Amino acid sequence: MTDDLDRYRRLFDLTGKVALVTGSSRGIGRAVAEALAAAGARVVVSSRKPAACEAVAESIRAAGGEATAIACNVSRDDELRALVADVEVVYGVPDVVVANAAVNVHFGPMLDVDDAAYTKIMDTNVRATLHLAQLTIPSMAEHGGGSFVVVASIAGLKGTARIGTYAVSKAALMQLARNLALEWGRKGVRVNCVAPGLVRTDFARALWEDEAQHARAVRAYPIGRLGEPEDVAGAVLFLAAPAGAWITGQTLVVDGGTTIASGEYS
Ligand SMILES: NC(=O)c1ccc[n+]([C@@H]2O[C@H](COP(=O)([O-])OP(=O)(O)OC[C@H]3O[C@@H](n4cnc5c(N)ncnc54)[C@H](OP(=O)(O)O)[C@@H]3O)[C@@H](O)[C@H]2O)c1
């Protein structure tokens, strides 16, 4: 009986596992890094700014977790290659990879986007995630398997007149996860997305900082509040951990109910 319960006690246990989280110096990525560390993983904190990463790694260590900072701009191939190589040197082949770093540099009608903005969004959000998958998934498979989690967005599930190119990039990531899930499922690597709604981070500050904006936004959320980074971190932990062992190719929506809302909520 005790043995049976022990199996369930390990559903969210990542003791001894190695986790890499891109864009983890703040916001959702930071919360994900902290949640994975709290579950026992040795975590690599990464973003473009070394000092910001080191501060997060240090605070995880101070709280009793294990973390190392390795800076990397995911849109630079050489830096991404060096990041993965350094993770392997410091902790070994990762068991969990979270592709979280993303940008949005165009707001407005889809047909107004210029080539530079389109390329930057697709390059950072899609090509870099594919490249990260190419650099990590084969070695994860060789090393006994793992979980690759992409932070997408509910923007990729609906039409939008304001953040169209970003939404295209997020929809592409959901398809990327489905494709990779098929290719790697039998080799032990699961690939999933989480799709957050509006989360109170720097990324979306313009949409929630102002009181009137915030009140307007909250009306669309049946749970009655916007998201916090830790709301998303729990979903990523679920997909990364043994609890998610039979889930692959999926997009888990984490949005306070906004995508299923209509009528008084829209
Ligand atoms: N906030 C929302 O409402 C929301 C909703 C849906 C989905 N998302 C998604 O959630 C993810 C995280 O967003 P967030 O809201 O947590 O944003 P955030 O608070 O602005 O944090 C972004 C993180 O990514 C890093 N970063 C940015 N560009 C990078 C690059 N080229 N290479 C490496 N790191 C980079 C930033 O650090 P440095 O500046 O040091 O590089 C920072 O650590 C993104 O994929 C975003 O699309 C957010």
Side-chain angles (χ1 to χ4, degrees):
M1 188 61 172
T2 316
D3 283 353
D4 282 353
L5 287 186
D6 275 352
R7 267 197 304 150
Y8 297 111
R9 286 193 190 96
R10 288 196 294 272
L11 281 176
F12 292 92
D13 184 11
L14 293 176
T15 303
K17 303 293 184 190
V18 175
L20 164 62
V21 186
T22 67
S24 47
S25 63
R26 54 195 153 87
I28 292 168
R30 177 180 185 153
V32 168
E34 291 173 344
L36 298 179
R42 292 172 285 163
V43 176
V44 174
V45 176
S46 187
S47 84
R48 292 166 300 185
K49 301 189 187 94
C53 296
E54 187 46 48
V56 173
E58 178 51 39
S59 90
I60 290 173
R61 291 194 296 268
E66 172 61 45
T68 292
I70 305 175
C72 167
N73 181 336
V74 295
S75 64
R76 296 191 183 142
D77 292 354
D78 54 339
E79 291 188 25
L80 201 57
R81 268 196 304 275
L83 169 66
V84 173
D86 288 351
V87 172
E88 291 182 8
V89 168
V90 175
Y91 286 142
V93 172
D95 305 281
V96 175
V97 175
V98 183
N100 167 73
V103 295
N104 183 24
V105 292
H106 177 72
F107 299 85
M110 189 75 230
L111 297 188
D112 290 352
V113 70
D114 62 34
D115 262 8
Y118 178 89
T119 302
K120 187 172 171 75
I121 293 168
M122 298 303 280
D123 194 61
T124 307
N125 300 4
V126 184
R127 196 192 56 82
T129 300
L130 173 61
H131 195 187
L132 183 60
Q134 288 169 327
L135 289 166
T136 56
I137 288 180
S139 29
M140 288 164 89
E142 259 174 45
H143 197 246
S147 172
F148 192 97
V149 183
V150 180
V151 179
S153 167
I154 59 167
L157 293 169
K158 297 159 71 164
T160 165
R162 279 201 303 174
I163 50 171
T165 309
Y166 172 77
V168 167
S169 78
K170 294 299 185 175
L173 290 171
M174 296 176 203
Q175 184 60 31
L176 179 65
R178 287 187 284 267
N179 297 345
L180 292 173
L182 286 189
E183 292 174 22
W184 291 92
R186 287 199 167 78
K187 294 168 192 146
V189 181
R190 297 180 295 105
V191 185
N192 292 287
C193 293
V194 293
L198 183 53
V199 180
R200 295 195 316 136
T201 68
D202 291 344
F203 192 80
R205 189 172 286 281
L207 299 174
W208 58 264
E209 195 167 44
D210 167 76
E211 220 172 282
Q213 277 273 21
H214 182 266
R216 236 189 337 273
V218 167
R219 279 204 294 276
Y221 284 75
I223 280 184
R225 64 171 176 84
L226 302 183
E228 301 296 333
E230 52 269 30
D231 293 319
V232 182
V236 174
L237 171 60
F238 168 56
L239 292 170
W246 209 42
I247 302 174
T248 197
Q250 300 302 309
T251 292
L252 176 54
V253 173
V254 185
D255 73 342
T258 194
T259 49
I260 55 91
S262 60
E264 73 268 40
Y265 291 111
S266 56

